[in-house]
Amino acid sequence: MNERTIALVTGANKGIGYEIAAGLGALGWSVGVGARDDLRRKAAVEKLRAAGVDAFGVPLDVTDDASATAAARLTEDRAGRLDVLVNNAAIAGGAPQEPTRVDPDTIRTVVETNVIGVIRVTNAMLPLLRRSASPGIVNMSSSVGSLTRQSGTAAESATGPVAVAYAPSKTFLNAVTLQYARELSGTNILINAGCPGYVATDLNGFRGVRTPEQGAAIAVTLATLPDDGPTGRFFEDAGVVPW
Ligand SMILES: NC(=O)c1ccc[n+]([C@@H]2O[C@H](COP(=O)([O-])OP(=O)(O)OC[C@H]3O[C@@H](n4cnc5c(N)ncnc54)[C@H](OP(=O)(O)O)[C@@H]3O)[C@@H](O)[C@H]2O)c1
């Protein structure tokens, strides 16, 4: 068994995921860099190692059952267990996403990655998480999935653009997070959703206003919760996000 805390971050080759890997690596953790593209994964692992991170590459396409199974096997061979899984990989889905104009295939594709992908990877990794003394799962969500904020209630105005695939995929992910928290309530596994804020990445054509490092902070916070920390909650840097 590896003495270091072991984390796996999906979609860690760029953007917020890369910075989550860097942030957890800076804590001295061993970090699996989950990425579907060989070249992008190798480049990220090399960059993280150059920065002193104990990083290892994990080939992982979250839409592929066999890939998730192989990623779990690789993580087991490398570390024997998993302490923290960060489900970060996601897609925006492109345009149009007005409800009246959307191609149903856009919705299927986004849900396959942003929701089913999280379930697929989580379930593949759960046997390894159950071997940890302090297991945790962090689902990277978005406040655009908050129905409260979408509807402009609670003294908040509607958030994000109209996007009938992406925004509801995060609402769905939040609901899935709660379902896991309920099923796992008798275990030591904490599972929470986090929103990174509006971050300049490929996902939004770099229109976001925060840096990927700032966006990664909430994931690092949720990955390092104490054993008696919250579960089944949705957080951003400023605190709890309404569902
Ligand atoms: N940026 C924001 O303002 C913002 C706001 C709220 C929430 N978020 C959330 O934060 C997370 C990270 O987003 P980001 O802004 O960093 O986006 P990004 O720069 O586009 O990075 C997305 C990552 O997900 C990976 N990915 C996509 N589909 C995948 C698949 N099928 N299998 C494996 N990896 C896959 C991408 O890999 P490739 O390089 O191979 O495509 C990439 O590494 C997402 O969950 C996003 O919804 C972002």
Side-chain angles (χ1 to χ4, degrees):
M1 282 276 187
N2 198 312
E3 292 307 311
R4 291 177 188 258
T5 301
I6 315 294
L8 172 66
V9 183
T10 71
N13 54 283
K14 68 177 180 185
I16 298 166
Y18 176 87
E19 292 298 338
I20 296 169
L24 298 178
L27 301 174
W29 292 18
S30 185
V31 184
V33 175
R36 57 184 167 175
D37 180 86
D38 288 344
L39 291 179
R40 290 196 286 273
R41 184 180 59 257
K42 281 179 186 149
V45 169
E46 275 172 27
K47 198 172 157 195
L48 286 163
R49 285 187 181 156
V53 174
D54 182 29
F56 59 100
V58 180
L60 178 56
D61 181 335
V62 303
T63 65
D64 185 294
D65 286 343
S67 175
T69 302
R73 202 173 305 122
L74 188 153
T75 306
E76 179 174 27
D77 289 347
R78 163 89 192 198
R81 66 168 199 281
L82 183 63
D83 297 304
V84 173
L85 169 64
V86 182
N87 287 307
N88 166 80
I91 55 172
Q97 285 201 25
E98 293 84 355
T100 57
R101 299 204 300 138
V102 71
D103 180 340
D105 278 341
T106 300
I107 299 179
R108 284 190 195 97
T109 305
V110 169
V111 169
E112 183 63 47
T113 300
N114 297 7
V115 183
I116 300 172
V118 171
I119 297 170
R120 177 181 290 113
V121 173
T122 299
N123 289 350
M125 297 297 162
L126 263 175
L128 300 182
L129 286 161
R130 290 186 193 278
R131 293 181 193 166
S132 169
S134 301
I137 301 167
V138 180
N139 290 337
M140 288 307 277
S141 184
S142 171
S143 63
V144 305
S146 162
L147 294 177
T148 305
R149 290 194 182 169
Q150 282 290 308
S151 54
T153 54
E156 317 219 27
S157 54
T159 182
V162 170
V164 74
Y166 181 75
S169 80
K170 295 300 187 179
T171 316
F172 195 165
L173 177 61
N174 289 344
V176 164
T177 304
L178 260 176
Q179 293 295 314
Y180 271 101
R182 291 180 60 199
E183 185 188 350
L184 298 173
S185 65
T187 75
N188 59 352
I189 303 175
L190 304 179
I191 177 165
N192 291 288
C195 173
Y198 190 33
V199 177
T201 67
D202 265 341
L203 195 85
N204 51 37
F206 295 90
R207 284 187 295 272
V209 295
R210 310 188 82 204
T211 67
E213 196 177 355
Q214 289 171 325
I218 188 66
V220 174
T221 298
L222 296 177
T224 53
L225 289 172
D227 291 350
D228 62 351
T231 190
R233 309 287 293 276
F234 182 19
F235 296 98
E236 59 190 356
D237 283 350
V240 172
V241 184
W243 292 119

